Amino acid sequence: MKIVALAGGVGAGKFLRGVERAYPGDLATVVVNTGDDIRVHGLYVSPDLDSVCYWLAGLMDRERGWGRVGETFHAMDAMRASGAIDAWFNLGDRDLATHLLRTQLLHEGRTLSEATSALTATLFGLSIDIRPMTDDPVTTRIEVFDDAGEPLDLHFQEYWVQRHAADPVKAIRFEGVERAAPGPGILDAIAGADVLLLCPSNPVVSIGPILAVPGVRQAVASRTGPVVGVSPIVAGAPLAGMADKLMPVAGFEVSATGAARAYRDLLTGWVIDERDRGSARGIEEELGVRVAVTNTVMRDDDIAASVARAAVELAS
C-alpha cells in the first residue's frame, strides 16, 4: 500500500509517527507546508519540514512539542545577552545544525526539495520521501490590528511566535502562491497514492497553503482513490496552535464540522474525536463522507497508531 500525506507541523508529526508504527514501510511521501518558512539571523528555517522530520526520526521534544529532545539554547542566550540582537525566534543549539546545512545547500544552488532530500538522508536517516509543497517562495501573511487599532501586515512567525497570536486578525493571504509551482513529483504522488491522508493540522495555515499551490487542490479533487482527513479540532478547540483564531477569519466554524468544511469536495472520509461523536451524522449528510470516531488526542505513539489505523481503515 502506498500512503501519501499532506502535513503541517507538530500535529502532523505525531500522526505520521502513528502511520509509520501502524503501517511500517507504507508511508511513501509527505508533502509539507512551507508557508511558515522564514530567514532568521541569515539562516533558512522551515519549521513544518523540521517538525515532521524530527518526529519521524524520533528526535522530537515531546514535552515542548517542538524542537529536538535534549536541546540547549546557549547560542540564543548569548545573542540576547549581547543586547545587540532581537532574538525573538528560538533556535536551539542542536536545531542550528539543520538550519546551517539547509542554508549552505541553498547557497550552493540546490532547490529546497533537493536540500530537504539531502537533510532527511544525512541528518535524520529517513527513507520516506519528505517534500516541500513548492520550491518557490510562498509566505503566509497575517493582517492584524495592533493595540492602538493600527493595521499591521505580519509574517506568520511574527504573528505567532513574536506577538503570541494576540492581535485581532483581519485577513490571511499566501503571498506568492499564484506564481508557485508544485514541488517535483508532488502531483504524481497525490495521483498515485492508494490512500491520501490530510494530517490533523491547521486547515487554514498548514494544509491551506499546500492546497493553494496551483494544481494541488485540483489533483486532490480529481483522485479516484480515497482522501481521508483527521480533525485537528476536538470539542470546539484546537489541540495546539491558533486555529481557533484563524478559522473564523477564513469563514469556518471552530469545530470538527468546520474543519471538514475546509476540505469540501475533497474528502471521502473524516476522523473525529470521541467528544465530537454527536457531529458524525451531520458531517456525513452535509459533506457526503464517511466518518470514523475514535480518541484522536495523541498523547503517545500507541494512540497515534490507532488514529492512523482508523483513517486508513476508513479509506478502505
Side-chain angles (χ1 to χ4, degrees), residues 130-184:
I130 299 174
R131 292 180 175 264
M133 67 187 195
T134 180
D135 287 330
D136 299 314
V138 174
T139 304
T140 298
R141 306 290 303 187
I142 311 293
E143 298 175 31
V144 307
F145 296 103
D146 66 11
D147 291 340
E150 294 298 315
L152 297 176
D153 188 343
L154 305 174
H155 187 288
F156 175 82
Q157 300 299 345
E158 293 174 317
Y159 165 74
W160 174 231
V161 178
Q162 186 177 34
R163 300 174 69 87
H164 310 293
D167 304 292
V169 178
K170 174 185 176 184
I172 304 159
R173 73 181 192 277
F174 308 131
E175 191 172 77
V177 75
E178 69 280 354
R179 299 183 297 276

Side-chain angles (χ1 to χ4, degrees), residues 94-252:
R94 295 172 185 269
D95 201 30
L96 281 171
T98 304
H99 311 317
L100 285 164
L101 182 52
R102 178 188 292 114
T103 304
Q104 177 63 33
L105 292 168
L106 294 173
H107 180 72
E108 292 171 357
R110 308 279 188 95
T111 65
L112 183 58
S113 291
E114 291 168 341
T116 301
S117 180
L119 283 171
T120 55
T122 58
L123 282 186
F124 309 126
L126 296 172
S127 58
I128 301 165
D129 187 14
I130 299 174
R131 292 180 175 264
M133 67 187 195
T134 180
D135 287 330
D136 299 314
V138 174
T139 304
T140 298
R141 306 290 303 187
I142 311 293
E143 298 175 31
V144 307
F145 296 103
D146 66 11
D147 291 340
E150 294 298 315
L152 297 176
D153 188 343
L154 305 174
H155 187 288
F156 175 82
Q157 300 299 345
E158 293 174 317
Y159 165 74
W160 174 231
V161 178
Q162 186 177 34
R163 300 174 69 87
H164 310 293
D167 304 292
V169 178
K170 174 185 176 184
I172 304 159
R173 73 181 192 277
F174 308 131
E175 191 172 77
V177 75
E178 69 280 354
R179 299 183 297 276
I186 285 176
L187 298 185
D188 288 341
I190 290 171
D194 296 313
V195 178
L196 180 65
L197 298 175
L198 307 186
C199 293
S201 305
N202 188 315
V204 177
V205 294
S206 292
I207 305 299
I210 303 174
L211 294 174
V213 175
V216 174
R217 191 179 188 95
Q218 181 181 2
V220 176
S222 62
R223 276 179 48 81
T224 56
V227 179
V228 178
V230 179
S231 176
I233 305 298
V234 174
L239 292 172
M242 76 313 293
D244 56 328
K245 297 178 182 293
L246 301 184
M247 286 177 66
V249 178
F252 301 115

Side-chain angles (χ1 to χ4, degrees), residues 78-102:
M79 291 167 68
R80 294 186 181 105
S82 74
I85 299 174
D86 183 10
W88 57 269
F89 193 96
N90 246 349
L91 300 176
D93 300 321
R94 295 172 185 269
D95 201 30
L96 281 171
T98 304
H99 311 317
L100 285 164
L101 182 52
R102 178 188 292 114

